[in-house]
Amino acid sequence: MFFHTVLFSLITFITGADSIGSAKKAELLFAGDAMQHQAQLDRARELGGGSMYDYSDCFTLIAPTVTKADYAVCNLEVPLGGGPDYSGYPCFSAPDSYAEALKDAGFDMMLTANNHCLDRRDKAARRTLDALDRIGLDHIGTYHDTAQRDSLVPFIKEIKGFRIGFLNYTYGTNGIMPRDGVEVAYIDRDKIAKEIALSKSAGAELIVVAMHWGIEYVLLENGVQRSLAEFLIDQGVDLIIGGHPHVIQPMKVVHNEKEDKEVLVVYSLGNLLSNMKTADTRGGALVRATIVRDKDGKARFSHADYDIFYSAKPDGPGSNFRVIPSWMPEHIPPAQKAHWQLFERGATRIFDKHNVNVPRRHP
């Protein structure tokens, strides 16, 4: 491992980053929690004719923005448990076609370390990983066992010539613990520090850590989140992406003085798609982070921007739950415009007041 890291650095130093196939910049996109409540299951089954589950229209409006990014990530907050007994809250289990629709929309990676990953116990957690492999989606956060975690971490993805390490952790699993050896990446500072160091020694130029943390339905981060973010920054992380509260929370670019670099901290991206009902849960945000190579060939996080979207409910026969970007208000069902406006105003108020150097920008 050390030899390969040194060799990679030596080649970069001698030849220059561009001459070994690296681009000067790349864009990463992150979106929030992909939920699957019972009403979503019922509508997808109805549209699928009763025997299949059809999600083909759920992400079509957001897909051009997702596919435009060089790599796109979201939190899959449902096990893919296999049929026929799929279920919504409180113990989720969704069909594989839900993840297939996310891939068709342009997402490249699913985060699986979240509080619902063990809803259908070890068997479904393992099946989820196998299904994502079959579909062709990258995934991190849960593993068949500790041996697989040891073999797959660090996860380093080459994106336009940038070698980016991705890690994912959750605060817990709703009190359900693994019974048959499934490995869940829980938030453990010693383990996190070790895996960040492993990622660096394996040649990761930038580190992205996705955290499932915070308090549900609270629009501002708490002290625990801030403390963990500071810990991750001290470990040299470049992007910190949060989820779990099911509402948006602020985004900030902060300076790591020790390493003289900027770090993106996103406390919560809210929901990507759900059937949640309160105004603040009716949508979420996406954030686009640009990484660059400086004049010395060093990879750095450069800047980020965001926009928001609405999780619309079906508005008639043949319609499904849909992610509707804020820049496409003409697609908001008339009966849901008031709900959209409440979500839009609430999210905008939080971001305008609390974001630091992460502006809003329509694609």
Side-chain angles (χ1 to χ4, degrees), residues 33-35 75-79 92 111 114-116 212 244 246:
D33 303 334
M35 309 295 293
N75 173 46
L76 182 66
E77 197 150 351
V78 287
F92 293 108
L111 307 172
N114 54 63
N115 59 305
H116 286 288
H212 207 72
H244 171 62
H246 301 303

Side-chain angles (χ1 to χ4, degrees), residues 81-96:
D85 56 337
Y86 301 115
S87 59
Y89 182 83
C91 287
F92 293 108
S93 179
D96 295 358

Side-chain angles (χ1 to χ4, degrees), residues 27 68 286 288 290 305-307 327 359-363:
E27 182 181 271
K68 184 179 178 182
L286 60 85
R288 291 171 294 256
T290 299
D305 58 57
Y306 80 93
D307 213 320
W327 56 94
R360 185 171 183 174
R361 178 177 68 86
H362 293 324

Side-chain angles (χ1 to χ4, degrees), residues 149-161:
R149 180 177 182 175
D150 291 342
S151 69
L152 296 181
V153 176
F155 180 94
I156 298 177
K157 190 77 175 180
E158 185 165 321
I159 302 168
K160 294 187 73 174

Side-chain angles (χ1 to χ4, degrees), residues 170-188:
T170 180
Y171 74 93
T173 45
N174 291 345
I176 304 171
M177 300 306 294
R179 297 177 179 175
D180 188 30
V182 161
E183 178 74 6
V184 177
Y186 293 105
I187 294 173
D188 176 313

Side-chain angles (χ1 to χ4, degrees), residues 334-353:
Q336 298 181 47
K337 285 189 181 295
H339 292 100
W340 155 247
Q341 289 167 354
L342 282 172
F343 170 75
E344 163 92 10
R345 284 198 295 267
T348 300
R349 182 173 62 251
I350 290 294
F351 288 142
D352 285 352
K353 184 175 181 179

Side-chain angles (χ1 to χ4, degrees), residues 156-271:
I156 298 177
K157 190 77 175 180
E158 185 165 321
I159 302 168
K160 294 187 73 174
F162 294 88
R163 289 173 54 82
I164 304 177
F166 290 87
L167 296 165
N168 176 210
Y169 304 95
T170 180
Y171 74 93
T173 45
N174 291 345
I176 304 171
M177 300 306 294
R179 297 177 179 175
D180 188 30
V182 161
E183 178 74 6
V184 177
Y186 293 105
I187 294 173
D188 176 313
R189 294 193 183 208
D190 290 339
K191 188 73 170 178
I192 292 171
K194 178 182 177 182
E195 292 185 339
I196 290 171
L198 282 172
S199 299
K200 291 179 180 179
S201 66
E205 300 178 273
L206 295 166
I207 307 289
V208 178
V209 178
M211 299 291 281
H212 207 72
W213 61 3
I215 305 299
E216 290 183 330
Y217 318 123
V218 176
L219 290 162
L220 295 176
E221 78 278 7
N222 60 25
V224 173
Q225 289 168 279
R226 289 191 293 272
S227 174
L228 281 167
E230 290 169 2
F231 164 76
L232 292 170
I233 292 168
D234 286 343
Q235 303 305 309
V237 167
D238 299 275
L239 287 85
I240 302 166
I241 307 297
H244 171 62
H246 301 303
V247 296
I248 58 91
Q249 291 180 344
M251 310 171 183
K252 302 179 181 183
V253 174
V254 300
H255 189 67
N256 179 337
E257 294 185 3
K258 182 172 67 175
E259 298 189 16
D260 189 25
K261 66 180 183 181
E262 303 305 307
V263 180
L264 174 65
V265 182
V266 177
Y267 283 108
S268 176
L269 287 167
N271 289 326

Side-chain angles (χ1 to χ4, degrees), residues 34-49 51-63 76 78-80 86-88 92-105 273-274 314 318-323:
M35 309 295 293
Q36 190 64 186
H37 293 97
Q38 190 62 48
Q40 295 170 265
L41 287 164
D42 293 344
R43 180 50 65 106
R45 184 176 183 181
E46 177 186 335
L47 294 174
S51 59
M52 299 179 63
Y53 289 77
D54 183 357
Y55 299 97
S56 57
D57 197 36
C58 292
F59 307 106
T60 52
L61 295 179
I62 200 75
L76 182 66
V78 287
L80 305 176
Y86 301 115
S87 59
F92 293 108
S93 179
D96 295 358
S97 54
Y98 188 52
E100 290 167 354
L102 288 164
K103 182 185 179 183
D104 290 344
L273 189 67
S274 80
S319 68
N320 206 339
F321 289 80
R322 301 186 82 191
V323 176

